[in-house]
Amino acid sequence: MAMQRREIPEFIIPVSGSQDNLLSARWGQGLQLMVFSGNGKRRYMAGEADVAVNLDKPSVVHDVRWQTDMHYPATRKLAAQSHEIFTSLQKHTSDATDGTKKPQLVKFSRRYRVAMMECLEDLRKAASDMAEDEGDQETYKDMCQLYQQLELIWNLCEILYIENLPGGVILQQLLDWVKLHFTDADTLAARIISEGEINISKDYWSAVYIYVLQGRLAEARHLLSMNPETQHDVHGAYARIDELMRRMPVFSVFSRQSLAEFDLKWRNWQEICQQLLVDGVFVSYQPLETICRILAGQQDVLDQLQDLAGDWYQIMVTKLLYTNPMVKAVDLQYHAKSCMDKFRGSSRLLPLDQILLAALEYDVTQIIKISSSNLSNWWFVAHLADLLHHAGQLETHQLDFGATMREFLLLEYASTLMARESMWQIIIEYLEHCPVFGRHHLELFVEKIPLQSEKKAYKVLKICDEKNMDDQAQSICKVMGMRALQEKRLGTALTWCLRSQDASFATYLAEKFLTEYSLNGNFSNLDLIDNLGSSMLVSDRLTFLAKYRDFHRLYEEGEFAEAGELLLSLIEANLAPKQFMLILLTDALPLLELDVVVFSSKQTSQLLMCKENLLKWYQSEEYTREILPKKSKGHVELEKEKMELLQLGLSRNLSRALLEESVRT
Amino acid sequence: MYVARNISADHKDLIHDVAFDFYGRRMATCSSDHSVQVWDINDKNEWHCTASWKTHSGSVWRVTWAHPEFGQVLASCSYDRMAAIWEEIAGSTTQSQRRQGHWIKRATLVDSRTSVTDVKFSPRCLGLKLATCSADGNVRIYEAPDLTDLTTWEIQDQIQTKLSCSCLSWNPSRLHPATIAVGSDNTNPAAGGKVQIYEHSENERKWNRTSMLMSITEAVHDIAYAPNLGRSYDVLAIATKDVVIMRFDKKDPAMIGPAPGRNTPVQLDHQGAQVWQISWNITGTILAASSDDGMVKLWKANYLDKWKCIQVLKGDGSSVAPLLMQPKEAARETRGSSLPEPSVDAGFMSSSPKFSIFTSSWFSDSSPRSRQGRPSSSPGSTASSTVIRGFHVH
């Protein structure tokens, strides 16, 4: 128990007074906590009295974030690139046949590795960039180390799981793997050669040995040939060793050679090596003797060269090359274990060792498991697991809540990106490829995307439309509408409102427009109101607004009869707010003043009736209690005057209409 | 890698609550100094205080944001027996209002006769509702009938829980009738279960108690339903002595998930310490719990529903003097030498060892230790390798 407890990582926050006031924490978006001192205890202690503490220092809130790996410029690029590879991989495997699948998967794997190497290169540059501050440089250096390891693991997994060549003979690929990642010899050789005159130093021989250990005999021979001693090679030792190296048989899956044939040749060749040692051909050429001992597969020479031979997995490859070149992939684990025991000894296995061992043991779950708990990086496990899943290497490990391991990892990866706001489009695509819980996460996430601009809101809405997330789309429209209203942009608010089909909000906005009209005598956002079309039906008030605007247009166009009819129907339909009734009736006044009679006697009496109703309302208790106190005296006077004018106009019109009608009949 | 950045609030007294808005781009803090502060984050991920004003005449216990569909709306509750609704409006403000930003008080809810201990807006799908609870055991549910006029709030129901209330939480699930869990800080174990669950009945138009968790006999100080992302059950975290996690299976068989039936409460070990505050991450997968021993523990469940502490955050007990940052003034980053004392440096940013692992506790048996070994960092040991970020004195 005590052991376990110690294993929980601790993060110390320098907080003043945390002893007395304790700490509390609230989650933000993604992996972010706001930690502050002071918590419920104080509240509880307050009990009956509320005592002030009056801190001598201002209180502090700590913005704690972690798993920020993907938030640096170099890794952001990696996130973007790998997202591209990820999506095309998903698309590809859904319509690939078995035959074409494997070579394609290898290509995808290599693309991931290229992206990693680019990232590594950028990190290296950043780490040595003096413009970066020291702490960042330190971070970049550590990240370099991490990504180097990740690439090493990925490459091995690619060889073992994605590429796995027929026949299972794997040595050549392992040699390439070592060659690609351990370039000490190249660095040494390049330096020696660049110095012009070849200086036979310790470094020179180190370079030669490493080449031989890595099976890069061509390079070794090249370096040897530059040795000035080859010029006066009286005993022919240099020529001998060169010959040996040149003639070493190499097995290739693509050659027509059979395994048995190769085996025979290889045994022959190594016997020659051994014989030369027995004959003592290189006795007076110590370095050449060492080379020959390597070639002959002698174990003790590896012990001597341990400093150059590298880590256990490099030694394993060397050993296999010179003792068991036809080793099958499935047998690697035994060799790995023995090399590890021999060269690691009792020292604690690092996560990298464990992961490589698990890979050689074909234990995919274990690779993912150790990587995810040790490499502080969900990017790696999520993408690797996905690739292995497509290669059919990932057992569909049903988790308790039904998601596969792949989905679990993808969700975790997506959640580490969430703290970074600009990643939202990438996150959506990852969530989309999580069949079980992805949809739920997507729904939650889409709503949480901050909408700084209309443009972004439209982008997010488009995604909602594509994915049939109506509820979320509606919510986004409401948020945007509310914001526009707050900023007093009524037209924009109405546009958003119509999209979300929010009736009560539409009513509210229509009223706002009408109020605006009653204050200024004109409408803003005419375009919008004139082109409402059928969307005006969302709310009665909005319908009224649109129709009322129609009336204005008819009037302006001189269609008085139609305008009058529309006005009357608007007044009769009672769609308008009560307070607006007087404005409507007043609008009738100019029509009454025209030379032609617009309203018939019947219509006029209807108008009169409405006027009477309004008058009644003015005298009602509701009006005198709630509305009258809010109106200024002048306003009330004006209203009274308007009513009188109306009375006059209407009665005059009535007489004119009656006269005209009687003439007609 | 953990990175902490200090933000110096100028609350004159303890901060009781920090609340993020829906998008995590704004933050509100409340304090015993009777005030609320609102913070906004800029493109460089720096927080700026944009408003700070006196909200109550007593300690402000909690502050909470409404869904942005309803505008920029905050609710606060206080020892002064009131809860208040605040709305941010656009427009210019006079000099005297400057500190308050554009926040205006829309309503004061004065129904409680004792300290109002918690206030929470309902999930968006239920409209704009607000629940408060108070020390005298009353839970009140308010509703804004007109979303465009937040000055009017009607009491939808008032529940007498008979035990002094300390906290409440709305069930976020949309497939469920409106549900509230209420916790009590009553310390008498004989007084019955300290968590009660109420459900709204549409037909009866009232709230009914559906259960009382008899297993919770110690005082409860915080309670929180986990966000539900497609789980077939609800998860409720309860802060009492240790944290208790309860699972409630839904009746709806169409939901995905495993077979129901594992409803035994899970105890998250804080060594018997009183836990005061808990908080779920947005996906409901990690719980942060802060307890009497000064630690904040992060808990995560693995696939066997085994909960594991994956990280501990704690204060160093030192009294590093934070530099003052005035609200509305830009936080400026400073580099090492411009800070007053080198020893203070670590106070402004410390990081645990690089690549310290934020482990996936999905694998419960794997070691969360870092590759490079150091399990924790003290300010002294990391000062050399950390970036120094601080806020300048103004």
PDB file of all heavy atoms in Angstrom, chain A residues 568-582:
ATOM      1  N   LEU A 568     -56.801  47.840 -42.521  1.00  0.00           N
ATOM      2  CA  LEU A 568     -58.003  47.464 -41.795  1.00  0.00           C
ATOM      3  C   LEU A 568     -57.903  46.026 -41.286  1.00  0.00           C
ATOM      4  O   LEU A 568     -58.217  45.743 -40.123  1.00  0.00           O
ATOM      5  CB  LEU A 568     -59.227  47.615 -42.707  1.00  0.00           C
ATOM      6  CG  LEU A 568     -60.564  47.403 -41.999  1.00  0.00           C
ATOM      7  CD1 LEU A 568     -60.792  48.483 -40.956  1.00  0.00           C
ATOM      8  CD2 LEU A 568     -61.701  47.370 -42.998  1.00  0.00           C
ATOM      9  N   SER A 569     -57.421  45.144 -42.162  1.00  0.00           N
ATOM     10  CA  SER A 569     -57.350  43.746 -41.730  1.00  0.00           C
ATOM     11  C   SER A 569     -56.334  43.588 -40.594  1.00  0.00           C
ATOM     12  O   SER A 569     -56.521  42.779 -39.692  1.00  0.00           O
ATOM     13  CB  SER A 569     -57.014  42.824 -42.903  1.00  0.00           C
ATOM     14  OG  SER A 569     -55.706  43.072 -43.323  1.00  0.00           O
ATOM     15  N   LEU A 570     -55.275  44.408 -40.643  1.00  0.00           N
ATOM     16  CA  LEU A 570     -54.290  44.346 -39.564  1.00  0.00           C
ATOM     17  C   LEU A 570     -54.904  44.800 -38.251  1.00  0.00           C
ATOM     18  O   LEU A 570     -54.695  44.196 -37.202  1.00  0.00           O
ATOM     19  CB  LEU A 570     -53.096  45.252 -39.893  1.00  0.00           C
ATOM     20  CG  LEU A 570     -52.030  44.655 -40.815  1.00  0.00           C
ATOM     21  CD1 LEU A 570     -50.970  45.692 -41.124  1.00  0.00           C
ATOM     22  CD2 LEU A 570     -51.391  43.431 -40.179  1.00  0.00           C
ATOM     23  N   ILE A 571     -55.697  45.880 -38.345  1.00  0.00           N
ATOM     24  CA  ILE A 571     -56.314  46.404 -37.132  1.00  0.00           C
ATOM     25  C   ILE A 571     -57.305  45.391 -36.576  1.00  0.00           C
ATOM     26  O   ILE A 571     -57.350  45.120 -35.375  1.00  0.00           O
ATOM     27  CB  ILE A 571     -57.012  47.749 -37.433  1.00  0.00           C
ATOM     28  CG1 ILE A 571     -55.959  48.807 -37.775  1.00  0.00           C
ATOM     29  CG2 ILE A 571     -57.850  48.202 -36.242  1.00  0.00           C
ATOM     30  CD1 ILE A 571     -56.527  50.104 -38.302  1.00  0.00           C
ATOM     31  N   GLU A 572     -58.055  44.791 -37.490  1.00  0.00           N
ATOM     32  CA  GLU A 572     -59.097  43.847 -37.077  1.00  0.00           C
ATOM     33  C   GLU A 572     -58.530  42.554 -36.501  1.00  0.00           C
ATOM     34  O   GLU A 572     -59.080  41.994 -35.564  1.00  0.00           O
ATOM     35  CB  GLU A 572     -59.959  43.490 -38.298  1.00  0.00           C
ATOM     36  CG  GLU A 572     -60.780  44.659 -38.761  1.00  0.00           C
ATOM     37  CD  GLU A 572     -62.247  44.386 -38.551  1.00  0.00           C
ATOM     38  OE1 GLU A 572     -62.783  43.611 -39.350  1.00  0.00           O
ATOM     39  OE2 GLU A 572     -62.833  44.923 -37.588  1.00  0.00           O
ATOM     40  N   ALA A 573     -57.394  42.116 -37.087  1.00  0.00           N
ATOM     41  CA  ALA A 573     -56.862  40.802 -36.714  1.00  0.00           C
ATOM     42  C   ALA A 573     -56.298  40.793 -35.303  1.00  0.00           C
ATOM     43  O   ALA A 573     -56.060  39.737 -34.729  1.00  0.00           O
ATOM     44  CB  ALA A 573     -55.783  40.372 -37.706  1.00  0.00           C
ATOM     45  N   ASN A 574     -56.099  41.985 -34.768  1.00  0.00           N
ATOM     46  CA  ASN A 574     -55.623  42.058 -33.390  1.00  0.00           C
ATOM     47  C   ASN A 574     -54.259  41.417 -33.168  1.00  0.00           C
ATOM     48  O   ASN A 574     -53.980  40.877 -32.108  1.00  0.00           O
ATOM     49  CB  ASN A 574     -56.636  41.388 -32.461  1.00  0.00           C
ATOM     50  CG  ASN A 574     -57.024  42.351 -31.361  1.00  0.00           C
ATOM     51  OD1 ASN A 574     -56.362  43.382 -31.178  1.00  0.00           O
ATOM     52  ND2 ASN A 574     -58.083  42.049 -30.657  1.00  0.00           N
ATOM     53  N   LEU A 575     -53.418  41.420 -34.210  1.00  0.00           N
ATOM     54  CA  LEU A 575     -52.086  40.827 -34.079  1.00  0.00           C
ATOM     55  C   LEU A 575     -51.120  41.781 -33.386  1.00  0.00           C
ATOM     56  O   LEU A 575     -50.116  41.374 -32.829  1.00  0.00           O
ATOM     57  CB  LEU A 575     -51.518  40.478 -35.456  1.00  0.00           C
ATOM     58  CG  LEU A 575     -52.106  39.278 -36.179  1.00  0.00           C
ATOM     59  CD1 LEU A 575     -51.571  39.223 -37.593  1.00  0.00           C
ATOM     60  CD2 LEU A 575     -51.791  38.004 -35.437  1.00  0.00           C
ATOM     61  N   ALA A 576     -51.469  43.060 -33.454  1.00  0.00           N
ATOM     62  CA  ALA A 576     -50.527  44.063 -32.962  1.00  0.00           C
ATOM     63  C   ALA A 576     -50.607  44.160 -31.446  1.00  0.00           C
ATOM     64  O   ALA A 576     -51.620  43.833 -30.849  1.00  0.00           O
ATOM     65  CB  ALA A 576     -50.873  45.412 -33.572  1.00  0.00           C
ATOM     66  N   PRO A 577     -49.512  44.568 -30.827  1.00  0.00           N
ATOM     67  CA  PRO A 577     -49.595  44.843 -29.398  1.00  0.00           C
ATOM     68  C   PRO A 577     -50.565  46.007 -29.166  1.00  0.00           C
ATOM     69  O   PRO A 577     -50.677  46.895 -30.016  1.00  0.00           O
ATOM     70  CB  PRO A 577     -48.170  45.238 -29.019  1.00  0.00           C
ATOM     71  CG  PRO A 577     -47.371  45.275 -30.267  1.00  0.00           C
ATOM     72  CD  PRO A 577     -48.208  44.869 -31.403  1.00  0.00           C
ATOM     73  N   LYS A 578     -51.233  45.999 -28.051  1.00  0.00           N
ATOM     74  CA  LYS A 578     -52.246  47.022 -27.754  1.00  0.00           C
ATOM     75  C   LYS A 578     -51.704  48.432 -27.911  1.00  0.00           C
ATOM     76  O   LYS A 578     -52.346  49.331 -28.441  1.00  0.00           O
ATOM     77  CB  LYS A 578     -52.750  46.828 -26.315  1.00  0.00           C
ATOM     78  CG  LYS A 578     -53.920  45.852 -26.226  1.00  0.00           C
ATOM     79  CD  LYS A 578     -55.139  46.582 -25.657  1.00  0.00           C
ATOM     80  CE  LYS A 578     -56.445  45.855 -25.948  1.00  0.00           C
ATOM     81  NZ  LYS A 578     -56.554  44.520 -25.352  1.00  0.00           N
ATOM     82  N   GLN A 579     -50.473  48.587 -27.422  1.00  0.00           N
ATOM     83  CA  GLN A 579     -49.888  49.925 -27.425  1.00  0.00           C
ATOM     84  C   GLN A 579     -49.683  50.459 -28.835  1.00  0.00           C
ATOM     85  O   GLN A 579     -49.510  51.652 -29.038  1.00  0.00           O
ATOM     86  CB  GLN A 579     -48.520  49.881 -26.751  1.00  0.00           C
ATOM     87  CG  GLN A 579     -48.582  49.199 -25.421  1.00  0.00           C
ATOM     88  CD  GLN A 579     -47.754  49.954 -24.433  1.00  0.00           C
ATOM     89  OE1 GLN A 579     -47.866  51.174 -24.355  1.00  0.00           O
ATOM     90  NE2 GLN A 579     -46.932  49.245 -23.689  1.00  0.00           N
ATOM     91  N   PHE A 580     -49.676  49.531 -29.790  1.00  0.00           N
ATOM     92  CA  PHE A 580     -49.384  49.919 -31.161  1.00  0.00           C
ATOM     93  C   PHE A 580     -50.657  50.328 -31.908  1.00  0.00           C
ATOM     94  O   PHE A 580     -50.602  50.873 -32.995  1.00  0.00           O
ATOM     95  CB  PHE A 580     -48.702  48.736 -31.867  1.00  0.00           C
ATOM     96  CG  PHE A 580     -47.835  49.153 -33.010  1.00  0.00           C
ATOM     97  CD1 PHE A 580     -46.610  49.765 -32.775  1.00  0.00           C
ATOM     98  CD2 PHE A 580     -48.228  48.938 -34.321  1.00  0.00           C
ATOM     99  CE1 PHE A 580     -45.810  50.154 -33.818  1.00  0.00           C
ATOM    100  CE2 PHE A 580     -47.432  49.336 -35.369  1.00  0.00           C
ATOM    101  CZ  PHE A 580     -46.210  49.938 -35.134  1.00  0.00           C
ATOM    102  N   MET A 581     -51.800  50.052 -31.303  1.00  0.00           N
ATOM    103  CA  MET A 581     -53.080  50.273 -31.968  1.00  0.00           C
ATOM    104  C   MET A 581     -53.252  51.719 -32.420  1.00  0.00           C
ATOM    105  O   MET A 581     -53.691  51.986 -33.541  1.00  0.00           O
ATOM    106  CB  MET A 581     -54.207  49.885 -30.993  1.00  0.00           C
ATOM    107  CG  MET A 581     -55.512  49.548 -31.666  1.00  0.00           C
ATOM    108  SD  MET A 581     -55.316  48.380 -33.010  1.00  0.00           S
ATOM    109  CE  MET A 581     -56.230  47.013 -32.384  1.00  0.00           C
ATOM    110  N   LEU A 582     -52.869  52.639 -31.566  1.00  0.00           N
ATOM    111  CA  LEU A 582     -53.049  54.043 -31.900  1.00  0.00           C
ATOM    112  C   LEU A 582     -52.228  54.404 -33.136  1.00  0.00           C
ATOM    113  O   LEU A 582     -52.693  55.149 -34.005  1.00  0.00           O
ATOM    114  CB  LEU A 582     -52.645  54.918 -30.714  1.00  0.00           C
ATOM    115  CG  LEU A 582     -52.859  56.410 -30.933  1.00  0.00           C
ATOM    116  CD1 LEU A 582     -54.318  56.740 -31.191  1.00  0.00           C
ATOM    117  CD2 LEU A 582     -52.340  57.218 -29.746  1.00  0.00           C
TER     118      LEU A 582
END
